[in-house]
């Protein structure tokens, strides 16, 4: 127990984070005003970016919102940006905020159907190659239309549930035992311990295939990852436009990713290739059969309603019937109404997963506001844009990929797309005879409700040709940013929220999934997918 107020403050500050982490954050907060007054906003701003990336990289020690939020608030207080600029950044990305709040919550109510799908794959398919490919492909397909974190949460729940069932069964403990250590094998015989070791390896393999699948599918569509919608909204792309723009890179990477999944299982490289022992499969199949019998007509009807909601979601997104967040809200209304979820506490649980990251996203916007106000990325952006043609696209892909592997890919994408678009606004403004400012022309050219060719047709021919060429290059750079932040970021749990979610879940310790082991399991995917994405960016854009 704390013996004094200073001791109590030290215990309360950032909670269970390590002492060295707490002292580091306090040092950051103390040093920033000194750097600003002595070296100016440019140096202080870059130091702030480094500090913020540090909080993202150390997400396993402390969720980035408290520490990163303190840095962002301090930046506003010492004048590195203004509250109005932060609000403007958040307002510009309101559609992304709606996506996180309502779409993630909407998918929460479809968990039973998703769990049913992955459970069927797990117990019905016997070939390890097939089950690995199905997990990877199902993760990719579902994440292209749903939230990757929710898809990951579902496969975690399936794996944890089956592990719990079998571990209790061989330990002689029934499901009513409240205190039970799933990570301990002390009560098991040697043969049972060997089987559980195989089972753990089998589940580790499937979890990584599924998590990588969420990255493969997440890069493809407007709603696959939060940064996709952020980039798409900046560019004025609809769901189908986004898919078609990104397809020259995303589809080859998808094929390479699925090929990697098959090959590592076949060769048993990087600790892949674990099989599910036959007696474990038999017990799991028997358990699932009993669950089906207990589900009854009411439970089966709920699955049907959730499947219908999934079809509505896919159709509404494909035809861009409304803003993505509003489509998510319609799913919430539909599923709560027809599946009988009418109490506030039942609905409130759905928003627990989305709101922490939504708050963190607004903190991202505060750091982006500092970058804008202090023109911190101007030298970097100017250098990359000084390159020509395919080399420029490759440089964008590599720069975004390297940053996304060590920090959060949404933050990296936010910075790059906003700074790049600002640069192109200036270039549009320099075109003679456009009859408006560069910002006004950019707004028209990125309006999803107005065809770009119609806007260009209203300009003088020479100006239209220059503006059209600039926008085509901006489209390619936006694709390079999107694919760069999505694909190489599978290298570490820091880059992919789904990986981090898996690593910090209750499942990770029981299947012996550590940070280092996750990096090792992701390594073949990192190499093949990153190189395929780079080659496709260079050759096909």
């Amino acid at each position: 127990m704390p013996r004094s107020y200073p001791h109590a403050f030290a215990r309360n500050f950032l909670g269970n984070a390590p002492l060295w982490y707490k002292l580091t954050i306090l040092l950051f907060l103390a040093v920033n005003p000194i750097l600003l007054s002595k070296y100016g906003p440019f140096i202080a701003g870059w130091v702030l970016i480094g500090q913020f990336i540090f909080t993202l990289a150390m997400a396993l020690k402390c969720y980035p919102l408290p520490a990163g939020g303190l840095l962002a608030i301090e930046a506003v207080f010492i004048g590195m940006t203004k509250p109005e600029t932060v609000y403007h950044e958040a307002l510009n990305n309101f559609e992304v905020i709606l996506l996180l709040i309502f779409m993630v919550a909407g998918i929460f109510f479809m968990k039973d159907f998703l769990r049913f799908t992955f459970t069927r794959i797990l117990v019905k398919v016997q070939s390890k190659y097939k089950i690995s490919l199905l997990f990877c492909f199902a993760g990719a397909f579902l994440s292209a239309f749903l939230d990757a974190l929710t898809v990951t949460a579902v496969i975690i729940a399936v794996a944890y549930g089956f592990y719990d069932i079998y571990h209790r069964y061989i330990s002689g403990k029934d499901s009513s035992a409240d205190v039970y250590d799933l990570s301990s094998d002390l009560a098991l015989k040697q043969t049972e311990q060997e089987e559980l070791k195989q089972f753990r390896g089998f589940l580790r393999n499937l979890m990584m295939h599924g998590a990588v699948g969420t990255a493969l599918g997440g890069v493809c569509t407007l709603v696959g990852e939060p940064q996709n919608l952020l980039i798409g909204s900046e560019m004025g792309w609809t769901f189908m436009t986004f898919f078609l723009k990104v397809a020259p890179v995303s589809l080859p990477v998808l094929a390479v990713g699925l090929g990697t999944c098959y090959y590592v299982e076949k060769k048993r490289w990087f600790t892949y290739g674990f099989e599910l022992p036959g007696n474990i499969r038999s017990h799991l199949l028997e358990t699932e059969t009993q669950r089906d019998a207990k589900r009854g007509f009411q439970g089966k009807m709920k699955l049907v309603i959730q499947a219908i909601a999934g079809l509505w979601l896919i159709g509404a997104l494909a035809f861009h019937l409304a803003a993505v967040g509003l489509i998510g809200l319609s799913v919430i209304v539909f599923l709560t109404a027809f599946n009988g979820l009418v109490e506030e506490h039942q609905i409130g649980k759905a928003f627990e997963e989305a709101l922490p990251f939504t708050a963190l996203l607004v903190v991202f916007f505060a750091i982006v506001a500092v970058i804008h106000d202090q023109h911190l990325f101007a030298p970097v952006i100017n250098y990359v844009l000084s390159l020509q043609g395919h080399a420029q696209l490759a440089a964008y892909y590599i720069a975004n990929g390297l940053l996304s592997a060590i920090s959060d890919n949404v933050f990296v994408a936010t910075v790059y797309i906003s700074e790049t678009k600002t640069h192109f606004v200036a270039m549009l403004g320099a075109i003679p005879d456009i009859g408006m400012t560069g910002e006004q022309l950019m707004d028209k050219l990125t309006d999803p409700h107005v065809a770009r060719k119609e806007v260009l047709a209203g300009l003088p021919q020479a100006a239209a040709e220059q503006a059209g060429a600039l926008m085509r290059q901006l489209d390619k750079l936006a694709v390079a940013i999107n694919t760069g932040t999505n694909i190489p970021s599978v290298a570490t749990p820091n880059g992919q929220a789904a990986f981090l979610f898996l690593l910090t879940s209750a499942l990770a310790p029981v299947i012996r999934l550590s940070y280092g082991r996750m990096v090792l399991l992701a390594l073949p995917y990192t190499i093949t997918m990153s190189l395929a994405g780079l080659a496709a960016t260079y050759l096909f854009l």
Side-chain angles (χ1 to χ4, degrees):
M1 292 293 291
R3 296 179 298 274
S4 64
Y5 285 114
H7 191 207
F9 173 81
R11 289 287 296 273
N12 289 339
F13 180 66
L14 297 183
N16 294 325
L19 179 61
W20 66 264
Y21 182 89
K22 298 180 181 184
L23 294 174
T24 302
I25 297 301
L26 288 174
L27 178 64
F28 288 166
L29 294 170
V31 111
N32 286 339
I34 299 171
L35 289 175
L36 180 62
S37 62
K38 192 167 184 179
Y39 296 103
F42 188 82
I43 298 297
W46 271 106
V47 171
L48 175 69
I49 292 174
Q51 294 168 350
F52 190 71
I53 289 176
F54 169 82
T55 67
L56 298 175
M58 293 291 108
L60 288 175
K61 305 297 182 184
C62 174
Y63 189 68
L65 178 61
L70 287 175
L71 293 172
I73 291 171
E74 182 187 55
V76 174
F77 267 99
I78 62 179
M80 296 181 73
T81 189
K82 299 176 182 177
E84 294 79 11
T85 311
V86 179
Y87 176 76
H88 178 71
E89 289 291 336
L91 190 61
N92 279 349
N93 293 284
F94 182 63
E95 191 173 0
V96 183
I97 294 173
L98 279 182
L99 164 75
L100 290 173
I101 295 174
F102 292 129
M103 185 62 79
V104 175
I107 305 310
F108 176 88
F109 295 109
M110 293 178 62
K111 277 187 174 180
D112 288 342
F113 176 74
L114 298 176
R115 190 177 292 117
F116 175 82
T117 302
F118 280 104
T119 298
R120 277 292 180 278
I121 295 173
L122 186 59
V123 298
K124 295 290 187 181
V125 182
Q126 296 190 13
S127 167
K128 181 64 184 302
Y129 306 134
K130 290 180 181 178
I131 195 173
S132 298
L133 285 169
L134 283 171
F135 255 69
C136 192
F137 180 78
F141 179 80
L142 292 170
S143 294
F145 296 96
L146 313 177
D147 170 62
L149 279 182
T150 303
V151 175
T152 305
V154 168
I155 62 175
I156 288 171
V158 170
Y160 188 87
F162 277 133
Y163 187 87
D164 179 53
I165 289 168
Y166 190 74
H167 199 282
R168 288 174 184 268
Y169 169 70
I170 59 175
S171 300
K173 303 287 185 180
D174 59 37
S175 59
S176 62
D178 294 329
V179 181
Y180 186 69
D181 186 5
L182 281 176
S183 61
S184 175
D185 300 342
L186 297 178
L188 308 182
K189 300 176 183 178
Q190 183 65 32
T191 54
E192 292 171 337
Q193 290 183 16
E194 288 299 319
E195 287 181 346
L196 264 182
K197 185 178 179 181
Q198 280 283 110
F199 192 26
R200 287 190 181 109
F202 176 81
L203 291 177
R204 280 198 305 270
N205 292 173
L206 290 191
M207 291 304 99
M208 286 304 297
H209 292 318
V212 170
T214 64
L216 286 170
V219 69
C220 293
T221 66
L222 191 66
V223 296
E225 294 283 352
Q227 69 265 30
N228 297 15
L229 185 59
L230 192 146
I231 292 169
S233 62
E234 289 283 355
M235 298 302 300
W237 292 344
T238 62
F239 186 89
M240 288 306 299
T241 304
F242 184 98
F243 175 78
L244 295 173
K245 292 282 188 185
V246 178
V249 180
S250 62
L251 295 186
V253 170
L254 175 61
V256 168
L258 292 175
T260 303
C261 175
Y262 175 81
Y263 203 74
V264 294
E265 286 293 343
K266 182 177 181 180
K267 294 293 184 180
R268 297 177 179 267
W269 286 349
F270 299 93
T271 70
Y272 284 102
F274 282 94
E275 298 285 348
L276 178 62
N279 61 322
I280 295 182
R281 182 188 302 279
S282 299
H283 181 70
L284 296 183
L285 181 58
E286 180 183 346
T287 302
E288 186 56 27
T289 303
Q290 292 171 356
R291 282 181 178 176
D292 275 348
K294 292 179 181 178
R295 189 172 281 124
F297 290 110
Q298 188 173 5
K300 291 176 181 177
M301 192 67 233
K302 287 182 178 180
L303 293 180
V304 171
I305 293 296
Q306 291 177 26
I308 293 171
L311 294 175
W312 153 252
L313 177 64
I314 292 171
L317 290 172
F319 293 102
H320 196 61
L321 298 182
V324 174
L326 297 182
I327 294 172
L329 179 58
S330 73
V331 170
I332 294 173
V333 172
F334 181 80
L335 290 178
T336 53
F338 287 96
N339 279 344
L341 301 169
V342 294
E343 297 179 18
E344 184 179 3
H345 69 89
Q346 293 176 309
I347 298 172
K349 292 179 182 178
F351 294 90
E352 292 178 1
E353 295 178 8
L355 290 182
F357 188 77
T358 306
L360 181 59
L361 186 66
V362 177
V363 172
F364 288 172
F365 295 148
I367 304 299
V368 172
V370 174
I371 293 170
H372 280 333
D373 285 352
Q374 307 306 331
H375 309 289
L376 300 181
F377 265 63
V380 178
I381 297 293
N382 289 337
Y383 168 73
V384 178
L385 290 176
S386 69
L387 302 174
Q388 299 296 320
H390 297 295
Q392 185 183 81
L393 297 175
Y396 255 67
Y397 177 89
I398 293 170
N400 280 272
L402 290 175
L403 281 174
S404 295
I406 61 172
S407 66
D408 188 271
N409 49 14
V410 180
F411 173 66
V412 176
T414 303
V415 171
Y416 263 89
I417 192 62
S418 58
E419 288 298 302
T420 302
K421 188 175 178 183
T422 299
H423 181 87
F424 273 78
V425 165
M427 295 175 73
L428 287 175
I431 298 175
D433 304 323
I434 60 173
M436 64 190 86
T437 66
E439 187 171 1
Q440 290 171 333
L441 181 56
M442 178 63 80
D443 288 342
K444 291 185 176 182
L445 291 169
T446 55
D447 187 340
H449 306 294
V450 180
R452 185 179 293 177
K453 60 183 179 181
E454 294 180 6
V455 177
L456 295 174
L459 299 176
Q461 184 176 356
E465 290 176 357
Q466 291 184 58
L470 286 173
M471 292 306 296
R472 285 191 293 274
Q473 185 63 11
L474 179 58
D475 286 346
K476 294 176 181 179
L477 291 175
V479 172
I481 294 169
N482 181 73
T483 53
T485 53
N486 273 290
I487 297 168
S489 58
V490 300
T492 69
N494 305 94
Q496 280 285 338
F499 282 27
L500 188 62
F501 187 60
L502 173 58
L503 186 63
T504 56
S505 69
L507 177 67
V510 301
I511 63 172
R512 310 297 193 261
L513 183 61
S514 63
Y515 188 101
R517 181 167 268 168
M518 181 176 278
V519 171
L520 176 65
L521 287 164
L523 184 58
Y525 285 109
T526 303
I527 295 170
T528 58
M529 289 164 52
S530 298
L531 291 177
L534 178 60
T537 300
Y538 188 85
L539 296 173
F540 302 147
L541 287 184

